[in-house]
């Protein structure tokens, strides 16, 4: 995940206490929580106690006297680097100490009390699943509650994830991010104060071979079937007239497995399609639609002469990638609130164009972080597969934290029959995107001339292990 502390706030103390500096922690460009230096120091000390001083990165030192504005800015930068370093460490970033700190801070910042609530979670076919949870329940809790309501077996829960989505004007959904272990889903969605944002359940793997595992169970089959129908209806999977006729026939026969099998042969099955953005490949300023899937990024580029060209970049030939963000100064609309400036995000990856030639390719998109997460999860799956492992895993229930269960399970309804394809459908139009899990890994050096620190890079361990096979 992309952690940043883009600004500080001077806030009044309670009960006449002195004012203090608060640090706004953003995750993926969105305010997650607001914390004080002393709170972060407490987290640091707890991590040192549990994992040792040699594992935990250095923490910005205390100051005896009141900080000057320059020192406040320096401390902000140091704390940002500290949080990024902790998150990128596989042990520290995945620890319950770190994640529970962020969850508690998120709840306190949004001032949402712990109480029982009903949360609606969408399925791909538009069906709503209502689960009774606590506002303080973390992502794993909510996912388990949804799985239980649907009667999804424990060993299939790991194939699905919860995603924050935003409904678009045409009724489709644009995927904002995958909900993570350090956040509270109810707080995350309600703190946005916008009914367009909702939570949806979708599969979270890339390799379609895992569809076989999911289709072994009735509920898994229904969820995968509903998602496939939805992706076809929204044009995320390309279908010609004859294929559409075959699919509709299978749907009328309620031949769900055969429907999915046919869909697996279609172009862009299992891909995530992102909103139109800008790239510098093959030349600067080109408009592009990026799709992530099949261990590659697919580009549909509109050249300055309006010609459209398509090409793909294999993840196994990406040496590394990075996400950079910047906040333009004083360019917001008049009357806009401080701290609301639009963040410019870029994903750049170093690609092995030929045997001895590496080249940087940049994508400028608000969804750059999601693209990065997609790349990392593809690499993770490739490495698991290369080592002979499997993503199949039992969904572990924690000893402390039994969820309130509804006695009645909810069935997944079959989607309506496919409509006839629209002859005017434009493949470059309304698209969507999705997140999958990621653990950030830095590399120790950079061959780029850009001024970016090593911790901003995501090293690709599949590059050395698998990349040569593609040359």
């Amino acid at each position: 995940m992309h952690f940043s502390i883009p600004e500080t706030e001077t806030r009044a103390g309670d009960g006449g206490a002195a004012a203090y500096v608060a640090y706004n922690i953003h995750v993926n460009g969105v305010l997650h929580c607001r914390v004080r230096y002393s709170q972060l120091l407490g987290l640091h000390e707890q991590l040192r106690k549990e994992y040792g001083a040699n594992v935990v990165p250095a923490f910005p030192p205390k100051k005896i006297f009141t900080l000057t504005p320059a020192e406040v800015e320096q401390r902000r930068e140091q704390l940002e680097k500290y949080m990024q370093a902790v998150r990128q460490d596989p042990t520290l970033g995945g620890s319950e100490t770190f994640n529970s700190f962020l969850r508690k801070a998120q709840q306190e910042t949004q001032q949402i009390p712990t109480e029982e609530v009903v949360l609606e979670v969408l399925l791909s076919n538009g069906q709503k699943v209502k689960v009774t949870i606590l506002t303080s329940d973390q992502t794993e809790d909510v996912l388990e509650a949804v799985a239980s309501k649907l009667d999804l077996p424990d060993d299939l829960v790991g194939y699905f994830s919860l995603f924050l989505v935003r409904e678009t004007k045409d009724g489709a959904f644009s995927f904002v991010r995958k909900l993570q272990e350090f956040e509270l889903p109810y707080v995350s969605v309600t703190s946005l104060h916008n009914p367009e944002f909702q939570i949806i359940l979708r599969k979270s793997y890339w390799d379609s071979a895992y569809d076989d595992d999911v289709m072994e169970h009735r509920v898994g089959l229904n969820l995968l079937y509903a998602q496939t129908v939805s992706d076809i209806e929204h044009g995320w999977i390309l279908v010609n007239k004859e294929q559409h006729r075959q699919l509709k026939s299978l749907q009328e026969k309620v031949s769900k497995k055969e429907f999915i099998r046919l869909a697996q042969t279609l172009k862009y099955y299992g891909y995530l399609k992102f909103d139109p953005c800008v790239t510098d490949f093959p030349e600067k300023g080109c408009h592009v639609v990026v799709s992530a899937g099949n261990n590659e990024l697919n580009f549909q580029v509109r050249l300055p002469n309006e010609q459209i060209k398509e090409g793909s970049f294999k993840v196994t030939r990406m040496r590394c990638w990075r996400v950079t963000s910047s906040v333009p100064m004083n360019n917001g609309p008049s009357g806009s609130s401080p701290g609301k400036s639009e963040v410019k995000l870029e994903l750049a990856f170093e690609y092995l164009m030929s045997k001895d030639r590496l080249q940087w390719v940049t994508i400028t998109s608000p969804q750059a972080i999601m693209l990065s997460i997609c790349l990392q999860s593809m690499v993770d799956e490739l490495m698991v597969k290369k080592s002979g492992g499997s993503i199949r895993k039992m969904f572990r229930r924690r000893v402390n934290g039994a969820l309130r269960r509804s006695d009645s399970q909810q069935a997944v309804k079959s989607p309506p029959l496919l409509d006839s394809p629209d002859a005017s459908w434009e493949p470059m139009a309304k698209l969507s995107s999705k997140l999958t899990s990621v653990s950030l890994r830095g590399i120790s050096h950079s061959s780029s001339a850009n001024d970016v620190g090593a911790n901003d890079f995501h090293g690709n361990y599949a590059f050395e292990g698998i990349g040569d096979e593609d040359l």
Side-chain angles (χ1 to χ4, degrees):
M1 307 308 294
H2 185 73
F3 275 80
S4 63
I5 306 180
E7 70 259 342
T8 60
E9 294 182 17
T10 301
R11 304 180 66 82
D14 297 329
Y20 63 90
V21 174
Y23 298 90
N24 294 335
I25 296 181
H26 288 232
V27 180
N28 292 357
V30 177
L31 176 66
H32 179 80
C33 61
R34 187 177 293 111
V35 295
R36 302 174 67 167
Y37 172 86
S38 58
Q39 291 174 285
L40 293 173
L41 177 59
L43 168 66
H44 172 71
E45 291 174 343
Q46 184 63 31
L47 289 172
R48 279 174 56 97
K49 181 179 178 181
E50 293 185 21
Y51 298 99
N54 294 333
V55 176
V56 182
F59 192 79
K62 289 183 179 180
K63 300 284 187 179
I64 299 176
F65 302 105
T66 303
L67 299 181
T68 66
E71 289 173 328
V72 169
E73 173 59 19
Q74 181 185 41
R75 175 175 280 182
R76 182 200 65 77
E77 293 176 354
Q78 292 171 339
L79 289 172
E80 180 176 82
K81 291 179 179 179
Y82 174 83
M83 291 295 288
Q84 290 172 346
V86 171
R87 176 58 185 171
Q88 290 178 16
D89 183 278
T91 301
L92 302 178
S95 68
E96 179 60 19
T97 298
F98 182 66
N99 290 322
S100 62
F101 172 84
L102 290 172
R103 292 193 297 266
K104 181 180 179 181
Q106 181 191 25
Q107 187 175 7
E108 290 177 350
T109 298
Q110 300 300 335
Q111 297 182 327
I112 295 179
T114 297
E115 59 187 0
E116 195 171 81
V117 292
V118 174
L119 179 66
E120 287 187 345
V121 176
L122 290 175
L123 304 182
S124 296
N125 59 3
Q127 182 180 347
K128 294 181 179 179
V129 179
K130 294 184 178 181
V131 291
T132 300
I133 62 167
L134 291 176
T135 54
S136 58
D137 279 340
Q138 63 194 65
T139 302
E140 184 179 296
D141 296 330
V142 179
L143 178 59
E144 185 180 351
V146 174
S148 177
K149 190 70 176 285
L150 295 173
D151 201 21
L152 183 68
D154 287 348
D155 62 344
L156 291 185
V157 176
Y159 291 83
F160 293 88
S161 293
L162 298 174
F163 299 88
L164 181 66
V165 297
R166 185 170 189 172
E167 188 172 7
T168 59
K169 292 181 180 179
D170 61 356
F173 290 105
S174 177
F175 284 76
V176 179
R177 70 175 186 271
K178 176 188 173 183
L179 295 178
Q180 300 290 320
E181 66 275 15
F182 55 74
E183 63 184 313
L184 310 176
Y186 179 85
V187 177
S188 293
V189 70
T190 57
S191 63
L192 294 170
H193 304 292
N194 187 336
E196 293 178 356
F197 289 96
Q198 300 182 66
I199 296 174
I200 195 169
L201 178 76
R202 276 180 67 100
K203 73 176 186 179
S204 60
Y205 56 87
W206 296 98
D207 190 343
S208 60
Y210 293 124
D211 288 348
D212 291 341
D213 295 344
V214 175
M215 290 191 291
E216 288 177 1
H217 190 271
R218 170 185 53 84
V219 177
L221 172 62
N222 288 340
L223 288 171
L224 186 59
Y225 174 68
Q227 180 176 318
T228 304
V229 171
S230 174
D231 288 354
I232 292 173
E233 288 178 338
H234 289 107
W236 302 345
I237 301 173
L238 295 188
V239 183
N240 62 32
K241 288 185 178 180
E242 174 57 24
Q243 292 165 339
H244 186 277
R245 185 194 65 77
Q246 295 175 18
L247 288 167
K248 191 169 184 179
S249 174
L250 290 172
Q251 197 174 24
E252 289 172 344
K253 297 175 184 177
V254 199
S255 301
K256 296 179 181 179
K257 284 189 177 180
E258 291 76 9
F259 183 98
I260 294 171
R261 296 290 185 209
L262 177 55
Q264 288 173 335
T265 68
L266 303 179
K267 190 171 185 179
Y268 299 131
Y269 176 84
Y271 281 68
L272 303 179
K273 297 198 174 184
F274 291 77
D275 298 327
C277 54
V278 177
T279 182
D280 64 355
F281 186 89
E283 54 187 287
K284 288 185 178 181
C286 289
H287 293 273
V288 62
V289 170
V290 181
S291 303
N294 194 30
N295 298 322
E296 67 181 20
L297 291 184
N298 176 273
F299 276 32
Q300 294 181 37
V301 181
R302 189 183 296 274
L303 301 176
N305 62 3
E306 297 302 311
Q307 182 183 4
I308 294 180
K309 287 191 174 182
E310 181 177 353
S312 295
F313 296 92
K314 292 183 178 294
V315 69
T316 52
R317 292 176 67 170
M318 296 179 187
R319 191 185 73 86
C320 61
W321 64 88
R322 67 169 182 256
V323 174
T324 57
S325 61
S326 61
V327 181
M329 299 300 292
N330 300 323
N331 68 336
S334 59
S336 63
S337 302
K340 297 293 184 181
S341 299
E342 184 176 351
V343 177
K344 179 183 178 182
L345 292 171
E346 289 185 343
L347 170 79
F349 57 88
E350 192 176 27
Y351 194 74
L352 191 62
M353 295 291 183
S354 59
K355 188 173 183 180
D356 299 314
R357 185 168 71 92
L358 286 161
Q359 179 179 334
W360 283 94
V361 177
T362 300
I363 303 167
T364 302
S365 167
Q367 297 173 313
I369 294 166
M370 290 187 285
L371 280 164
S372 172
I373 293 171
C374 288
L375 291 176
Q376 184 64 64
S377 60
M378 287 180 191
V379 170
D380 290 344
E381 274 194 26
L382 280 170
M383 299 308 290
V384 167
K385 191 172 184 179
K386 185 173 172 30
S387 65
S390 171
I391 65 169
R392 178 186 283 274
K393 59 179 181 290
M394 289 297 292
F395 189 68
R396 297 189 302 272
R397 288 191 179 92
R398 290 179 309 282
V399 176
N400 299 320
L403 291 172
R404 296 140 308 286
R405 300 285 192 178
S406 171
D407 292 332
S408 60
Q409 269 88 28
Q410 183 167 336
V412 181
K413 300 176 183 176
S414 294
L417 295 179
L418 291 171
D419 294 328
S420 298
D422 185 352
S424 64
W425 175 72
E426 170 56 58
M428 298 291 286
K430 306 294 182 181
L431 302 172
S432 187
S433 55
K434 185 180 73 171
L435 282 169
T436 52
S437 61
V438 61
S439 57
L440 305 188
R441 302 182 177 96
I443 58 176
S444 60
H445 65 280
S446 167
S447 60
S448 170
N450 294 335
D451 183 19
V452 180
N455 284 337
D456 296 306
F457 282 85
H458 305 220
N460 180 3
Y461 294 109
F463 179 80
E464 289 185 354
I466 305 172
D468 290 344
E469 297 174 8
D470 296 310
L471 296 180

